Each structure stands twice: as structure tokens, then as C-alpha cells.
DNA sequence: TTTAGTAAGTGTACAATTTACAATAAGGTA
DNA sequence: TACCTTATTGTAAATTGTACACTTACTAAA
């Protein structure tokens, strides 16, 4: 099974740690073959070429599995990146050449974003170091990966406003304060606690459990679950573009 | 300037005629070179390969211009179609072979949808007949074009719910009943006329004109315009996924 | 065991929006 | 002039949005 050497996927993997939104980045360090000097070092998103007989969704799930060991992760295609010059910055050309690839071949990359609650992650991938970096601390990335990241954030924001995907960034059981925090971080805003809860109380698909937080140095909060089943059954389509 | 022979764009061009949502389709008829017999005839969406140095957005605008002569059309990338078997139905292979193309090369296609008010359209494109077909009357299309069409409709519905793109399907000046009809058709629902107008009256970016319809056999309706400028200035981001 | 610290949980009044519902007005056409 | 067609408009009740502050339940430290 060969590789399709002109299509790739790039995954923006978001992980929420109850405080910040993080993104999984991979170190990219190019060293001179002879002297061993470090020529440059920076970061990339996580991506892969796809196999010839593979769907792009599969390729994206594969990346995700290799990195996190997780299979059932929220993953969504959001945009294609295909600018003719997207791989043509000097460092990027050098890196591709070093890797035995032709930097003049136009590569179309399909952007995906994934959502998960931060957990332990395989800390190596193809011999490169992988780490969580807070979204706001991400500097200049390799290739067009800053553009892909911004596209992912925008897609995440838009989707979050209209569909219940915030839950994907939390563990199965979570508190209302954690849920509120997710939305505040993604939408870059703050909500009134009482009003947020009043709104939330109307959502039939947010199931209160008979369980509480443990081990916290304050009144323990009740735990909730999201039920996609109830959501699908009770959701109404409606019309809200105005405002 | 060569062609990238593995990337293409497919455009779902929606046209509204105040009654129905239509899609621009192109006839595809394969005739036997020797006998002249018609081997099969069906329809495709409108698509194109992209040039090597061209962005995909440019390629999509090019398709649109060739077909409609229009330059400033609402156009949006919505999904990529890349299934390994997407061009492998027997008729499709035959068509590609006849056209001198290799049906075994995997072609990634970027799906776009365009919105416009139905107007005169160039009725020929590369020697093939082009016509508006009401969305609900579209049967089986070539390649994976039914899938692309459904993807486009879904993207159109979603976007319509949250952003003011319904206007793109109307002429510059339109009546409130026409606007209501656009939304009813896209969202496949019906609105109460008084409540619809009450809601609409709150949108500052819907500008009432001192002009009325002419030539209609009933009380002429006032004309309105959409101001994207006012919309951008007054829009608030908010949060409505729950229902 | 007492105290301090921390986040959880809760109600009310007012404003804005949604919803359901039907009669009159203004043009053309016969 | 009568008729046909679509445009235009209001009101009351229910729901939702908004602004705002105190009490509760737990841990940790004294």
C-alpha cells in the first residue's frame, strides 16, 4: 500500500486542562548531518501523509491514535490548505530536502481539529518530542501551521456557538463550573454563574449525577454528564443568525 | 502553466428564483466514437482542475465566471471529497477514459457552494449543456456528486442558521416576503409572517428603501437592502447551541 | 476543635423576545 | 365597479435574558 504523496492531513489537537486550552505540538529540529550543529528548531502541528487506499478521515484518526493512544476522539475536518507556496519558506524547504522529500511538489493538506480532555500523551512520535502548549503561548510554527491553527480555532469557536461540542473537551463526568470555564475559554468571554446555570438547567441532555467531586478543598460540586442521545432526540433546529 | 492533475474543485451553484432552490447542472453524454450511439447520459456538477500555481479559491471563481459571467458571487469552501473510490463507478471510468484521463489516479476534490439569484446563464460550457434544475428534482448524478450536493445543502443550512447569507440568493433589492421565502426553502420550514417581520425589524442591517415593487397584480411590497457593513458593525457574538 | 479559605449553589425583579393569532390596505384585472 | 392577490400591522401571554449577593460545604492550617 503506497503513499499518496500529494495529500496530507494536519491535526490541531486541542486539550483542555480545566484552566487553559492547549495544543499538541511536535518539536522539529534540523541538525547538520556532518557537524551535528543544530540548524534550527521550532514546532509543527501533527500531520501525516495518507495511504493510497485510505480515506482522509482514517488518516487523521491514525495520527491521533499514534499520538494519544485514543480511538474515540472528537475529530472534524474544517478546511483545506493548498496554497501553492505553503511549504516554501527556507527552513521548510531545507527540512523537506533533509527528509528526502521534494519541496517543489504541491501538497494539499486537509485540516482537522480534535478535542479531548488533557491526559497522558505518548511523549514521542517518530523520534520527535511531543508536548502540550497553551494556545496563547504558541509562537511561530513551521510551514503554514499558524494559519491552520487559526483556522482550527475559528472553526472551533463557530461550532461551539451552535452545537454542544464543549463537552468533548471535558472528561465524561464534569462540574458545571468546569463546563462554564470551557465555554469562557473558547469564546473568550465571561458568563454570570447564576445565569449560566439557569440556562444549563433547561438542557435536558445535561444529566445531573448522584455523585460529587472528591478531594477538593471546598464544597464539592455535583457531577454531570452529557447525553448525546438525549440531545439528538430533543434538539430543535432554529434560526438565530440575527443580532 | 500546467495543471495539477490530482486536485479539482466542484462547485454546487445554488440559484433562487423566488420559488425554488435550483442547482446548476451540466449534461454529460457519452457517445460511441464509431457508431455514434449514446452510451449513457446523465448530469454532473460544475467542476474544474486547478492550475499548478493557482489557489483553489481562484479555480472555483474561475468555474463560476465561465458558467455565469459573474465575478462577485458568494462562494465558500465547505468540504473535501477524497474517497479512494469516488471516481470508480463504471460510467465514470468510461467517461474519464474517453476524455483521455486515467481513472485510477486518485483525485481530491474541494467542494464549494455558490449562492446567487437566478439570472441568465451561459447555456454552454465546454460544449456541454448547462441548466438550472430544482433541487428536489435532482436524480442520480455522476461521480460522487450526489454526496457533494448533500454536503453543500447541509453546509448551506448550517451557515444560514447563524449568518446572514440568505440575502446572497436574492437580488440587491428584495421584499420581505421574498426574504421569508428564502429562509423557508433553505430551512424547510414555515414562519409566521407577522413574527418574521417583527424579528426582521430588529435587524439594523436590513435597510428599508423608499421604493416599491412594480408590475405586480396586488399591493406592491416595499423593497429592502442588506447592508453587510452595518451587519459587521452591529453583530454580537453569542452563544446559542442549546435548545 | 476552631478558624480561615475556597468554590458551590441559589432567587428575584425587570427587560426583551417569542409565540399565537386575523383584519384591513393597496394595487391590478375582468 | 367588483374581485383577486399579496402587503401590512398589534396585542396579550409565556418564555427567556439580565443584573446582582449571600449562604453552604468542604479542606487545611492553626
Amino acid at each position: 500500500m503506497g503513499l499518496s504523496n500529494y495529500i496530507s492531513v494536519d491535526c490541531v489537537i486541542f486539550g483542555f486542562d480545566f484552566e487553559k486550552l492547549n495544543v499538541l505540538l511536535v518539536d522539529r529540529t534540523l541538525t547538520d548531518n556532518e557537524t551535528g550543529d543544530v540548524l534550527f528548531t521550532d514546532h509543527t502541528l501533527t500531520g501525516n501523509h495518507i495511504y493510497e487506499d485510505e480515506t482522509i478521515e482514517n488518516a487523521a484518526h491514525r495520527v491521533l491514535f499514534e499520538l494519544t493512544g485514543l480511538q474515540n476522539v472528537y475529530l472534524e475536518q474544517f478546511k483545506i490548505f493548498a496554497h501553492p507556496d505553503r511549504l516554501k519558506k527556507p527552513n521548510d524547504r531545507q527540512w523537506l530536502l533533509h527528509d528526502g522529500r521534494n519541496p517543489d511538489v504541491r501538497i494539499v493538506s486537509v485540516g482537522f481539529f480534535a478535542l479531548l480532555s488533557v491526559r497522558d500523551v505518548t511523549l514521542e512520535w517518530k523520534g520527535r518530542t511531543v508536548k502540550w502548549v497553551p494556545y496563547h503561548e504558541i509562537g511561530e510554527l513551521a510551514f503554514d501551521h499558524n494559519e491552520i491553527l487559526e483556522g482550527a480555532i475559528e472553526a472551533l469557536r463557530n461550532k461551539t456557538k451552535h452545537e454542544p461540542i464543549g463537552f468533548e473537551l471535558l472528561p465524561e463526568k464534569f462540574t458545571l463550573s468546569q463546563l462554564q470555564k470551557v465555554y469562557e475559554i473558547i469564546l473568550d468571554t465571561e458568563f454570570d454563574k447564576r445565569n449560566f446555570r439557569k440556562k444549563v438547567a433547561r438542557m435536558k441532555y445535561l444529566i445531573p449525577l448522584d455523585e460529587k467531586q472528591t478531594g477538593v478543598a471546598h464544597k464539592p460540586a455535583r457531577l454531570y454528564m452529557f447525553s448525546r442521545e438525549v440531545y439528538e432526540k430533543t434538539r430543535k433546529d432554529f434560526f438565530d443568525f440575527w443580532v
Side-chain angles (χ1 to χ4, degrees), chain A:
Chain A
M1 193 161 62
L3 283 173
S4 275
N5 60 358
Y6 49 83
I7 319 175
S8 68
V9 295
D10 281 301
C11 294
V12 181
I13 304 177
F14 290 110
F16 183 66
D17 58 10
F18 300 126
E19 289 186 2
K20 305 176 302 306
L21 191 61
N22 300 279
V23 177
L24 213 52
L25 296 184
V26 184
D27 276 343
R28 177 178 81 159
T29 301
L30 187 63
T31 48
D32 190 301
N33 274 346
E34 290 166 16
T35 65
D37 291 348
V38 170
L39 297 173
F40 66 83
T41 181
D42 56 9
H43 296 93
T44 70
L45 294 172
T46 58
N48 242 337
H49 282 283
I50 66 173
Y51 292 112
E52 264 178 25
D53 286 331
E54 189 182 39
T55 63
I56 47 176
E57 282 76 16
N58 233 310
H61 275 290
R62 196 158 46 78
V63 175
L64 215 50
F65 182 70
E66 285 171 12
L67 277 153
T68 65
L70 299 173
Q71 301 257 25
N72 293 312
V73 173
Y74 182 90
L75 184 65
E76 177 173 325
Q77 186 198 127
F78 66 94
K79 200 173 174 190
I80 188 171
F81 295 87
H83 196 282
D85 298 333
R86 60 183 291 266
L87 306 182
K88 299 202 171 163
K89 288 189 287 187
N91 281 358
D92 298 332
R93 289 181 64 90
Q94 220 181 335
W95 172 265
L96 290 171
L97 280 167
H98 184 89
D99 202 33
R101 295 194 269 156
N102 180 351
D104 293 313
V105 170
R106 180 173 181 170
I107 295 181
V108 170
S109 187
V110 184
F112 283 81
F113 70 87
L115 304 179
L116 48 96
S117 174
V118 165
R119 317 181 197 201
D120 288 340
V121 160
T122 307
L123 286 179
E124 218 187 73
W125 182 61
K126 299 181 177 179
R128 293 161 63 191
T129 301
V130 176
K131 63 187 174 202
W132 288 112
V133 181
Y135 170 69
H136 286 294
E137 295 172 19
I138 296 177
E140 195 176 338
L141 298 176
F143 307 114
D144 57 349
H145 287 188
N146 286 99
E147 199 187 327
I148 297 180
L149 177 62
E150 288 314 303
I153 276 278
E154 196 190 323
L156 171 60
R157 278 210 179 112
N158 279 330
K159 190 112 185 179
T160 299
K161 283 184 216 157
H162 313 298
E163 285 182 51
I165 61 169
F167 305 96
E168 305 290 348
L169 286 162
L170 292 168
E172 202 186 3
K173 299 171 181 182
F174 51 85
T175 71
L176 294 186
S177 294
Q178 289 166 351
L179 183 64
Q180 183 175 342
K181 188 86 183 180
V182 167
Y183 280 95
E184 289 179 341
I185 295 278
I186 295 178
L187 301 177
D188 192 26
T189 185
E190 289 186 10
F191 298 110
D192 175 83
K193 198 204 285 197
R194 277 173 294 187
N195 293 341
F196 184 89
R197 281 154 190 254
K198 213 185 306 174
K199 210 166 180 176
V200 147
R202 277 196 294 276
M203 306 183 203
K204 299 291 195 302
Y205 50 84
L206 192 59
I207 319 280
L209 303 175
D210 287 330
E211 266 181 86
K212 299 198 167 193
Q213 262 182 326
T214 52
V216 288
H218 53 78
K219 178 170 175 178
R222 181 166 209 167
L223 296 177
Y224 289 77
M225 273 184 67
F226 168 64
S227 163
R228 185 156 299 279
E229 200 187 345
V230 175
Y231 172 70
E232 296 297 346
K233 275 186 194 151
T234 58
R235 97 206 221 78
K236 291 180 214 139
D237 271 338
F238 74 132
F239 182 25
D240 56 47
F241 74 79
W242 24 50
V243 173

